[in-house]
Amino acid sequence: ASTTNILCENQTYDTILADYLIGSIDGFAPYFQDCVLERLCRHLKVGGKLYIVGLEPVPDQVKGDGDIVCRVRKVRDACILLAGTFLCVLFHFCMKFVFLFDVPVNKHITLISFSSRSKQKHSKMKGHRCYREYPQTWMHRQITSHSSGNKKLKILSTTQFPILYSHSSICRQINVAKSKLSLFPSQTLANEMRVVLEDLEKESLEKTRRSKNGRLTVGFDYVVAAELYEDEEA
C-alpha cells in the first residue's frame, strides 16, 4: 500500500472557500493555477458551493492620484524579482566555482550546502516570486470550462468590492519592497531603489491626504460563487 499522504484524500465537503488562493500560487507553485479548480472540485460534493475570492490585477496605470498605487505595485514587484535574481546568481556562481576549479568533494559539499541554505533562508520570506493575480473574466472562463466526467461547475453569482488604499496600506507594499533591498545584486542599485521607494512613500502621503476620505480607490476584489452539478446529458 502507498504511504503517500494526500491532503484531504477521500474527503468531500458541502462548501469550499478559496480565499485569494489562486493568486498566491505563483509565489509557491508556479504554473499550477489552471489545475487548482480540478484539485478543489475533487473534494466538493455534488450540489456543493465553491467560493473563490480574488483580486482584480492592479492596472499598469490609472488616471488621477490613484496611479501612485499602480506605480508602487510595479516597483514592489521589481524589487522582489531582483532579490530572486541575486539568489540565482549566487547559486550558479557556486556551481561554476566547483567545476572550474575542481574543488575537493568535502569543500564541494560545503559550498553547495551554503548556497542551498541561502536559497532556503530567503524562500521562507514571502518570496522572490510575485503573486500573480487573475482577473474576474479569467476566473469565469476557468469555472465554466471545468468538467470531470459528468460533473461540471456553474456560476451562481459574482460580487465586486472596490479597494480603498490608505497611506498605511500603500506603505505596507513599499515595506515589502524595502525588505528585498539587502538581496539586490548591487549595493549601488539597492541605494538608488531606496531613494525611489522613499519618494513614493512621500508622494502617497500627499495624495491620500488630499483625497476626500484619506483613501484612493483603485481596482476591486471579487467573490465568485459556483456550484458543482451533474450534467445528465454529458
Side-chain angles (χ1 to χ4, degrees):
S2 172
T3 58
T4 302
N5 292 320
I6 299 177
L7 181 66
C8 299
E9 184 69 358
N10 299 321
Q11 297 182 40
T12 56
Y13 303 91
D14 295 313
T15 303
I16 294 177
L17 172 63
D19 188 18
Y20 298 102
L21 172 66
I22 295 177
S24 69
I25 283 177
D26 205 67
F28 304 94
Y31 315 118
F32 186 69
Q33 292 90 333
D34 60 323
C35 302
V36 174
L37 285 183
E38 187 279 328
R39 183 67 176 84
L40 292 175
C41 288
R42 198 186 304 173
H43 305 288
L44 188 63
K45 294 179 181 179
V46 172
K49 306 299 189 294
L50 171 64
Y51 295 93
I52 300 174
V53 182
L55 168 67
E56 188 74 8
V58 176
D60 289 336
Q61 61 182 32
V62 296
K63 293 182 179 179
D65 287 346
D67 192 55
I68 184 68
V69 174
C70 306
R71 289 160 51 208
V72 166
R73 188 267 302 173
K74 287 187 280 190
V75 174
R76 179 207 63 191
D77 288 357
C79 290
I80 292 171
L81 293 172
L82 281 167
T85 299
F86 168 74
L87 295 174
C88 291
V89 169
L90 172 64
F91 182 77
H92 289 300
F93 169 77
C94 290
M95 295 306 296
K96 285 183 179 180
F97 184 85
V98 167
F99 292 111
L100 286 176
F101 297 99
D102 194 22
V103 178
V105 174
N106 60 333
K107 292 184 179 179
H108 183 159
I109 294 172
T110 301
L111 199 56
I112 293 178
S113 176
F114 163 74
S115 178
S116 177
R117 285 199 306 273
S118 296
K119 295 183 80 174
Q120 290 172 5
K121 174 183 176 182
H122 296 300
S123 66
K124 290 178 182 178
M125 301 167 62
K126 278 209 170 173
H128 9 269
R129 292 188 65 89
C130 309
Y131 286 0
R132 186 181 297 278
E133 305 294 348
Y134 285 83
Q136 177 185 293
T137 52
W138 182 91
M139 202 65 68
H140 283 173
R141 290 196 302 272
Q142 293 296 307
I143 291 170
T144 55
S145 63
H146 171 79
S147 65
S148 178
N150 68 334
K151 296 178 182 178
K152 298 182 178 181
L153 282 173
K154 62 181 177 182
I155 296 172
L156 300 177
S157 64
T158 301
T159 308
Q160 296 180 358
F161 302 89
I163 302 175
L164 303 177
Y165 290 89
S166 64
H167 175 61
S168 61
S169 64
I170 296 173
C171 283
R172 282 197 293 271
Q173 299 306 312
I174 293 173
N175 289 336
V176 169
K178 286 181 178 179
S179 73
K180 308 299 179 183
L181 296 181
S182 62
L183 302 175
F184 271 31
S186 161
Q187 186 58 51
T188 301
L189 181 59
N191 293 339
E192 292 294 334
M193 185 62 83
R194 188 179 299 279
V195 172
V196 172
L197 292 169
E198 288 173 353
D199 287 344
L200 286 171
E201 186 171 340
K202 293 175 184 176
E203 187 178 347
S204 71
L205 179 60
E206 294 172 1
K207 291 186 174 179
T208 51
R209 274 182 172 174
R210 70 188 185 205
S211 64
K212 290 182 179 180
N213 57 359
R215 290 172 168 77
L216 302 169
T217 303
V218 179
F220 58 88
D221 293 309
Y222 58 84
V223 179
V224 181
E227 180 180 7
L228 188 69
Y229 70 99
E230 289 184 330
D231 186 354
E232 297 178 357
E233 299 179 358

